[in-house]
Amino acid sequence: MKHATNWHVEQLPGGILKFTSPGGKTYDSHPPSRVAFAPTDNDGYAVAPF
């Protein structure tokens, strides 16, 4: 629907997409985080399984 109507999309820093509807309302689309933290033991070593 967005490609067939008067929607506008703008890419913001950090990969955020800002969609503006024909009526002027805006919607932000935030990408998923690319960082995942592994649990560690008391010595700071990663704990398996990952």
Side-chain angles (χ1 to χ4, degrees):
M1 190 69 162
K2 291 178 187 158
H3 66 279
T5 59
N6 197 21
W7 282 76
H8 175 75
V9 65
E10 176 183 359
Q11 185 168 4
L12 304 175
I16 298 170
L17 297 177
K18 179 180 176 182
F19 292 92
T20 305
S21 74
K25 187 165 180 167
T26 60
Y27 303 89
D28 291 343
S29 173
H30 297 266
S33 176
R34 294 177 55 181
V35 177
F37 296 96
T40 60
D41 63 14
N42 291 336
D43 295 324
Y45 294 99
V47 178
F50 293 106

